[in-house]
Amino acid sequence: MIFPEGREDMRRIFLRAWEKHSTEEPLEEMERRIVDVILLHPEYHQLLADGDHALSRDYSPEQGVSNPFLHMGLHIAIREQLATGRPSGIESHYQALLLKLRDPHQAEHHMLECLGEVLWRAQRDAAAPDEAAYLECLREISDKH
């Protein structure tokens, strides 16, 4: 699957995966991964069922709501990082959190806070994400919990 560049195109991938799941159509591998994350977030199911609204809605910090597509996308990114072992050391941070929290979904939630912060800084600074800062944030989070 080739990843689109625009916000609406990316959202359409989530919406189509959810629609295919809902109608019991066969899913491609990436669609299965997306659906796995969606199933962990029942609070987003209604939004995904209303595709037009989901495509056009803005989610800004000023509105006090989080972006469900960003949130789910970060879950997928964490899972991809764990599957590939990149950045090096991520698995040990995940395992430390998992040992303490005993819930894979909650461990991912803590990790995506770090990933979101590192990605935000990279975007703000027009730079590559800082893997060292990311791993340090993960270490701090796993030490805290």
Side-chain angles (χ1 to χ4, degrees):
M1 175 182 292
I2 297 175
F3 291 100
E5 293 184 23
R7 175 182 91 169
E8 189 172 306
D9 291 338
M10 182 56 80
R11 289 180 179 187
R12 284 186 196 283
I13 291 172
F14 280 84
L15 295 172
R16 180 67 181 133
W18 186 242
E19 179 184 349
K20 286 175 74 173
H21 168 77
S22 300
T23 58
E24 299 182 359
E25 293 178 51
L27 299 170
E28 296 177 21
E29 180 61 31
M30 182 52 78
E31 290 170 329
R32 269 193 295 281
R33 292 177 186 169
I34 291 169
V35 167
D36 287 346
V37 169
I38 292 171
L39 289 171
L40 292 172
H41 294 87
E43 68 274 22
Y44 300 150
H45 294 181
Q46 185 58 46
L47 171 74
L48 294 167
D50 182 13
D52 291 337
H53 180 69
L55 287 174
S56 63
R57 182 157 180 208
D58 286 323
Y59 300 93
S60 67
E62 296 80 26
Q63 295 173 332
V65 294
S66 65
N67 181 332
F69 295 100
L70 175 61
H71 180 86
M72 292 184 292
L74 289 173
H75 271 289
I76 292 166
I78 295 286
R79 291 173 178 204
E80 291 296 313
Q81 290 175 339
L82 290 167
T84 61
R86 187 154 195 286
S88 180
I90 191 164
E91 179 69 27
S92 63
H93 293 295
Y94 173 73
Q95 290 301 325
L97 278 170
L98 190 56
L99 185 64
K100 293 174 182 179
L101 299 171
R102 302 202 182 280
D103 181 346
H105 186 217
Q106 288 308 312
E108 287 178 16
H109 271 197
H110 288 287
M111 294 174 75
L112 65 83
E113 290 176 27
C114 291
L115 181 57
E117 176 71 21
V118 166
L119 292 175
W120 176 81
R121 286 183 183 186
Q123 184 178 11
R124 179 196 66 193
D125 299 341
D130 184 341
E131 284 187 4
Y134 178 45
L135 292 170
E136 177 60 21
C137 179
L138 292 174
R139 186 195 60 73
E140 289 172 5
I141 282 183
S142 64
D143 287 350
K144 190 177 0 175
H145 294 281

